[in-house]
Every structure is written in C-alpha cells, then in structure tokens.
Amino acid sequence: MVLSKTASESDVSIHSTFASRYVRTSLPRFKIPENSIPKEAAYQIINDELMLDGNPRLNLASFVTTWMEPECDKLIMASINKNYVDMDEYPVTTELQNRCVNMIAHLFNAPLGDSETAVGVGTVGSSEAIMLAGLAFKRKWQNKRKAEGKPYDKPNIVTGANVQVCWEKFARYFEVELKEVKLRDGYYVMDPVKAVEMVDENTICVAAILGSTLNGEFEDVKLLNDLLLKKNEETGWDTSIHVDAASGGFIAPFLNPELEWDFRLPLVKSINVSGHKYGLVYAGIGWVIWRSKEDLPEELIFHINYLGADQPTFTLNFSKGSSQVIAQYYQLIRLGHEGYRNIMENCRENAVVLKEGLEKTGRFNIVSKDDGVPLVAFSLKDHSLHDEFEVSDYLRRFGWIVPAYTMPPDAQHVTVLRVVIREDFSRTLAERLVFDIEKVLHELDQLPSKLTTAAKVTAVVDEKKVRNGAVKKTALETQREITDVWMKFVQARKTNGVC
C-alpha cells in the first residue's frame, strides 16, 4: 500500500475518447460521481488508463509471479468471491490451506510425527508472516522475562542491514529495537559472527535471510545456528532464529537440498515464505510455519464463533480472499518436487545466460552469486561517464523495468542493477535484454558525462555570479540548471527514436 497523493494537479476530471459513445460528460477524478454511467463506459475509461502501466512480464524488478497456467486462472476466478475467514462456510478451502501448511512444513523439514499436524498459517504475504513470527518471539521473550522478574520493556531483534523494509516496519510498529549488522564491500549479507556479537539478553531472535533482496544470496544460517548455540550455552540465554525465506524458501529445497537452513537446525523456530514469489502464485499469498506449538504463544490465538463454529485465528488481517490459497494448493500438487525442481533449474540456467552475456560486454561487475535466488545483480566497472541509474532509465525505452539502487550501510557507495529471473523469463528474453543493454551503453557513450556537464555548468554559473554580483543560488536551483543544460544537449544529439 502507498499513501494517497494527487497524480495530476492540472486536471481533476477523467476523459475517454472511446467512452464518448456512451457518455459525453467528464467524470470527477477524486470524487464519486453524482450519476451512474454505462458499464461499457466504466470499463473503457479504466482500461484506457491501465494501458499506461508497465508490462508485468517485463518488470524485472519484481520477484512476484506474473504468469500462471490457464487452469489455475480458472480456479482463481471461480473462488474469487469466497472470504477465506468464513471457515465454517467454506470448509474445503480451509482444508486446502491446512494441506498447504503441512506440505510446506514437511518441505522445510519440520520435526513432525506421523500423526502430527504442522503449526502455521496462510497470510497476505511475507510482510504479514514476518509480523506474526516477530510477535510470537516478542511475546515468548516477554513471558519468560516476566517469570524471571526481569524488565521486559526493551526488546530488540538482530538482522543484517540488507533486510527488506517489512522488518523495519515490524520493529517500528511493534516497538522493537532493530539492531542491524552493517554490510561491507564484497559481502552484502549479514555476517553471522557480527550478528551473534550483537545479541544480548533483550534479543528476541536473530533474523536470517534465505535470499537477500539485494543480490539473491543465501545467508549462512548453519553457521549462525552453531555460533548462537555456543553463546546460549555460555550465557544461559535461549536466543533463537527466524528465517526469512520469502524468496529462497521454494528454491533451496529443490536446488540445494543438502543445504541446512531450515528446521533441521535446532534454533530455527519459525520460517516465512512467499507463495507469490517462487511458490509460483499471483500476489498476495505468504506462509509462516512454526517449529512446534510451544513456539506460538497460545494468548496470540483468537477464538471466534460468530461465523458459525469455533474458529482459531492468528492473523493481522481478518477478511481475505481464498483464490491465492487455492492457487497455491494447485501448484503444489500440480508440480510436485519434480516440477518445482525443473522450473528452478531452468530459472538458474537463464540467469547464467544473462550473466555470461553481461560479462562478455566487459562493462559490468557481477555482484550476485551463482548459488541463491536466480537473479543477476551487476554494476558498471567505469562510473566516470555514466551511472546505473541512467542505464535503468534508458532501458525503459525498450519496455524493460530494471531497478537501480544503492546498497545499505556500510556499502552505500555501491550501486547495482538487478534482474530477477522468474518462470516466464525465457532464454530468448535474456538474450534480447543483453542486446538492448548493449544498445543503451552505445547510446550513452555518445552523450556527455553528467559529471563533466555538471562541472561546466557550475563553472559558468559561478562566473556569472562573480561578473554580475548575483545572489547565491540554492543547491536545488543549481542542479536544475545542470539538468536543463544536459537535457538540451541530449535532445540536440538525438537523431531517431526508439519504439
């Protein structure tokens, strides 16, 4: 969700050419119209505006699934009017969610007996899942501190500076101090040694990431577990681990089954995963699984009966669509281990194709790792003329949405571009992207450097100030002058457009 803001201040009405055969009057943009309009007109007006959105298939910034099989689309549409929270009215949907929880728990090697059921819940996404897991850790820590007669008002959580913003939200919303392990050049994930050093008696858990958003790398959860076991033994604490497997939870079990990161490690008490990422379901569905019932405090579970029967619930949301739950079950039984493995291997192979193509240009350093989420993060070797933000901007001319961003502290001086390889990103598209990146680089090579232009404009401005005795301009005014000069130069050099 984003905060509401006015997109256009010049026009407060909506107009549609095609809709004019149904309606001639303009519609207010930010107020509910007084009168009804034909359904055809409403459809056309909205459809016209949506054409200006980017193509989801070419949105290489997103980890979220953008393609599913037609059969699954049919199931989604058939169940789109079911409210998942009405468990008594929709018992089969509830059963499918329970099956998904148990399938994922077994996938993560939860220590379940033959007749035991897993402890977990479906969520709107990993953000909600992380909030629930964090609340369980906080409440369990508080209960223990109260029983010991110790203060329980200053909980903290240890993470890497590479965490996704949902961890910052959890810390701020639920008043938990966020202690971040800073990054460094060449090491863009949490250092387990430094993380354990930051643990104290107020630490509710250490959060490890299986698949960093920044470069796709898996953090070393096994080393973290071993170091934390040793510290717990020395101090008498029982600090545990949560694994944020939003991106990697549906990858590691199939591509790296021997990797120990899950419930095989004794200190891992809960795991979240995004079904709408490599679980291959449209947004938004997430899952959180606990190691055992003891790891989810009973007082966090609410029991309601005003929808029919007694229904236990532990979610931040109440009403929620059933479609994504059903879609997740479809993917799990449709693909099985073999299908997921084939898709993840194909994604990894396409990532290699893209990586090798970028390396052949001789212009980029590859920041991502071969083992991890199938993505390619890369940065320019030479920043003296242009930067990654310009490359990202120019790629949009070809329809590609490739994000450029700076790393968190203490590696904020490193800027990277990132391409996420999803199931619907083929080898042909990977090759085409490399071709378009080369065209962008060639075009940028013909342009003046922003830095050089900035220096020239600044010199001219300073000279005018001295000559005319002008009042000193603000940094923003100077930057605007620089941008204007550079854009005029670019427009003058352009000889043809890109479709």
Side-chain angles (χ1 to χ4, degrees), residues 258-277:
E258 74 290 342
L259 183 66
E260 294 184 50
W261 63 273
D262 52 19
F263 292 119
R264 284 171 287 182
L265 303 175
L267 291 184
V268 174
K269 303 299 183 182
S270 55
I271 301 172
N272 71 277
V273 64
S274 290
H276 61 222
K277 292 182 180 177

Side-chain angles (χ1 to χ4, degrees), residues 216-231:
E217 188 174 350
F218 292 164
E219 293 183 347
D220 194 339
V221 188
K222 175 67 165 61
L223 177 58
L224 176 65
N225 178 85
D226 294 345
L227 293 173
L228 204 48
L229 277 172
K230 183 178 179 181
K231 183 157 190 173

Side-chain angles (χ1 to χ4, degrees), residues 50-71:
L50 288 176
M51 288 192 300
L52 300 177
D53 268 348
N55 183 342
R57 295 279 301 277
L58 298 182
N59 180 9
L60 307 182
S62 178
F63 290 78
V64 176
T65 296
T66 51
W67 179 87
M68 296 183 75
E69 291 175 321
E71 291 77 9

Side-chain angles (χ1 to χ4, degrees), residues 97-170:
Q97 192 234 212
N98 293 338
R99 293 180 193 176
C100 289
V101 167
N102 281 272
M103 288 178 178
I104 296 170
H106 283 289
L107 183 66
F108 296 164
N109 294 292
L112 298 172
D114 294 337
S115 60
E116 278 189 279
T117 57
V119 180
V121 67
T123 60
V124 173
S126 271
S127 291
E128 183 188 6
I130 284 169
M131 304 286 175
L132 298 178
L135 283 172
F137 278 111
K138 180 182 178 182
R139 182 57 60 90
K140 192 175 180 181
W141 173 83
Q142 287 177 324
N143 290 343
K144 183 174 183 292
R145 298 282 291 183
K146 289 178 184 177
E148 295 173 346
K150 297 178 180 178
Y152 54 89
D153 59 335
K154 294 182 178 180
N156 69 65
I157 186 169
V158 176
T159 70
N162 57 312
V163 291
Q164 217 262 0
V165 68
C166 56
W167 282 103
E168 297 180 39
K169 287 184 176 182
F170 165 75

